[in-house]
Amino acid sequence: MTTPEPPLDDRSAGQADLQPPTTTPAEGDQPAYRVDPTHPTTSRTRRGPILGLSIALVAVLAGGALFLAGWTVGSRQAATPGTPAGDEAAFAPFWSAYHFVIDNYAGGTVDKKQIVEGAIKGMIGALGDPYSSYLTSDEFKASLQSINGQFEGIGAEIVTKKADGSDSDCTTLGPDCRLVIVSPIQGSPAEKAGIKPGDIVAAVDGQTVDGQTIDQTRDRIRGPKGTQVTLTIVRGSVAPTDVKVTRDVIQQQEVITKTLADGKVGYVRVTGFSDTAAKSVADAVKTDVGAGEKSFVLDLRGNPGGFVTAARSIASQFIASGPIYWQQDASGNKLEVDAEPNGAATDPSIRVTVLIDKGSASASEIVAGALQDTGRGTLVGDTSFGKGTVQQWHDLSDDNGGFRLTIARWLTPKQRWIHGVGLTPDVKVTPPANTPAGQDPVLDKAVELLTTGTSALAPAA
């Protein structure tokens, strides 16, 4: 019995994994851990799975013990159920307030469930950590689906464009800022309903989108599987048409592949870190290597992260052995997470460039940092986001939502903590703000490095 590796908190608007993470032991692959013998607080006999189980159990107990009467440790503290004897003084104000509210609130019926949820939300919020938060049951479910590369909706990529049809950074929809369908995902409800690239979404369920942001409108379009949403579509000069779409579970395309430089360079773009994405990358790299390709571009731009298990798997396609990253817990104990065996492109003669930008975060930085520190890849682009913490997700069950909590830091193979700093590219390329559509200076530079044999690809010091 092993403990699954906790997932990274994915993204501010995330995408994610087929088996939701759990804080209880479960069957599954266990990363190869090695104890850091140089760290004064690390015990050699305390291997990774044991420590991982300890972390998981702490999360389980902490999630419910503070507030649920069923966890009480003694009848003598009936008024403060679940509070350990040594913490009675610290929790006295909480229980005093709780009982006073329950017994005396005259504004209406007190919903104990909401009171407990509010207390948990306040407790997590008091940490001041933007990556730790309480989530309602619906939010918890949606977030896990998102990290998995899944969501419930119609399955269409959307962007904002100016009224003249040009790309735009406009944030508020209206006459001069349109919400446009880029393309429906193949086989999606949107495609089946006849929605086409270039369609303009003017209203959702009869209500205009004017005055809203793209995120607000996206949230209106998404919804539970099996429910219907009506989009008012403007297509060319034809009068607006209402299109009814039945929502479903959508699996996003997280891996995009192609060949460049007349088939000499393999290109793999990763937009999320789910188990599905990890397998797709492994398959793509194996196929390209089998076809004789000796150069790769791994594009992680705009990728806000996902599961650390996926990051380890993807990095292991290029790194044969040794650390992919280190994980450091709250006590300072460090565990080395090593490469998985049998990566498809670990041959040192296979050259790799990794594209990063300010939107490359979390799991993206684990992969990019691993390739940079081991000399297996050259980073091209702009400085990455800088998120160096690991979150674990805990389901409170019984429709009580859940929370995500920062439980560790991750460090690069050379034990750099890039939190708040980011990874500095080996070759910095910042595209002009007015870069014409269809041009990509960052990708062009990466291909140039691979095809000209420049010394910029020498292993990092």
Side-chain angles (χ1 to χ4, degrees):
M1 185 76 75
T2 58
T3 303
E5 198 171 337
L8 280 175
D9 185 7
D10 45 305
R11 33 187 108 175
S12 52
Q15 268 52 300
D17 175 45
L18 295 178
Q19 263 187 320
T22 175
T23 53
T24 56
E27 293 297 334
D29 294 333
Q30 177 66 31
Y33 290 111
R34 185 159 64 236
V35 176
D36 178 8
T38 65
H39 197 281
T41 63
T42 300
S43 167
R44 285 184 168 274
T45 60
R46 200 169 189 184
R47 296 296 178 184
I50 297 175
L51 180 58
L53 178 57
S54 299
I55 293 174
L57 291 176
V58 167
V60 170
L61 295 177
L66 300 181
F67 305 107
L68 303 182
W71 289 75
T72 182
V73 294
S75 57
R76 66 186 181 84
Q77 291 295 332
T80 59
T83 306
D87 291 333
E88 290 173 4
F91 279 87
F94 168 81
W95 288 113
S96 176
Y98 175 83
H99 290 299
F100 193 85
V101 168
I102 295 298
D103 296 339
N104 297 285
Y105 179 66
T109 303
V110 176
D111 187 328
K112 292 184 178 180
K113 178 174 177 291
Q114 289 186 350
I115 292 291
V116 170
E117 287 178 351
I120 299 172
K121 183 176 182 179
M123 177 175 64
I124 303 295
L127 297 173
D129 177 9
Y131 304 112
S132 298
S133 61
Y134 171 78
L135 303 169
T136 66
S137 181
D138 288 342
E139 290 170 340
F140 191 83
K141 177 184 175 183
S143 294
L144 289 182
Q145 282 186 330
S146 180
I147 303 172
N148 252 340
Q150 293 181 341
F151 63 90
E152 292 179 314
I154 67 170
E157 296 181 37
I158 56 177
V159 295
T160 55
K161 286 182 179 288
K162 292 181 180 178
D164 61 9
S166 61
D167 292 332
S168 169
D169 290 331
C170 58
T171 56
T172 303
L173 299 173
D176 297 322
C177 183
R178 306 288 181 80
L179 183 68
V180 179
I181 302 290
V182 176
S183 64
I185 297 173
Q186 186 174 5
S188 68
E191 183 184 59
K192 294 175 182 176
I195 291 176
K196 299 182 181 300
D199 284 350
I200 297 171
V201 180
V204 179
D205 287 331
Q207 307 232 340
T208 180
V209 300
D210 290 355
Q212 294 196 313
T213 65
I214 187 173
D215 288 342
Q216 289 171 329
T217 303
R218 179 203 61 209
D219 290 344
R220 288 173 59 194
I221 295 173
R222 289 184 178 182
K225 172 184 177 181
T227 60
Q228 270 194 342
V229 61
T230 300
L231 305 183
T232 301
I233 298 294
V234 177
R235 183 179 299 163
S237 58
V238 179
T241 304
D242 285 344
V243 179
K244 291 186 177 181
V245 188
T246 301
R247 301 177 177 105
D248 204 343
V249 176
I250 308 299
Q251 181 68 50
Q252 294 190 13
Q253 184 181 6
E254 295 180 284
V255 179
I256 301 165
T257 63
K258 58 184 176 181
T259 57
L260 305 170
D262 297 324
K264 298 175 183 177
V265 177
Y267 172 88
V268 180
R269 181 183 179 190
V270 185
T271 63
F273 279 84
S274 68
D275 284 348
T276 301
K279 184 180 184 306
S280 295
V281 170
D283 290 344
V285 173
K286 183 177 180 180
T287 297
D288 287 349
V289 171
E293 291 181 6
K294 303 289 286 185
S295 299
F296 281 91
V297 174
L298 181 62
D299 193 346
L300 301 177
R301 291 176 294 177
N303 185 330
F307 289 115
V308 292
T309 47
R312 177 189 177 219
S313 176
I314 291 172
S316 297
Q317 296 306 312
F318 307 96
I319 299 172
S321 61
I324 298 297
Y325 67 95
W326 289 79
Q327 187 162 305
Q328 182 176 14
D329 67 17
S331 298
N333 300 312
K334 293 180 184 177
L335 296 175
E336 180 180 342
V337 183
D338 288 337
E340 296 174 347
N342 305 317
T346 58
D347 184 338
S349 67
I350 296 176
R351 296 149 62 80
V352 185
T353 56
V354 184
L355 311 188
I356 59 171
D357 63 10
K358 291 181 174 63
S360 305
S362 205
S364 291
E365 293 172 300
I366 286 182
V367 174
L371 269 68
Q372 185 179 51
D373 274 12
T374 59
R376 280 298 292 130
T378 296
L379 306 193
V380 181
D382 207 347
T383 302
S384 64
F385 180 81
K387 179 180 180 294
T389 56
V390 178
Q391 281 65 45
Q392 189 148 22
W393 297 65
H394 180 69
D395 186 356
L396 294 172
S397 71
D398 298 327
D399 197 33
N400 287 307
F403 60 86
R404 57 190 177 198
L405 183 70
T406 296
I407 53 89
R409 298 179 177 185
W410 69 265
L411 315 173
T412 69
K414 290 185 177 180
Q415 302 195 38
R416 294 184 291 152
W417 194 43
I418 56 89
H419 195 69
V421 177
L423 294 165
T424 301
D426 301 299
V427 180
K428 186 174 179 61
V429 182
T430 304
N434 58 348
T435 301
Q439 295 188 18
D440 191 341
V442 180
L443 179 57
D444 291 344
K445 173 57 71 174
V447 173
E448 176 190 332
L449 295 173
L450 291 169
T451 56
T452 60
T454 175
S455 60
L457 290 167

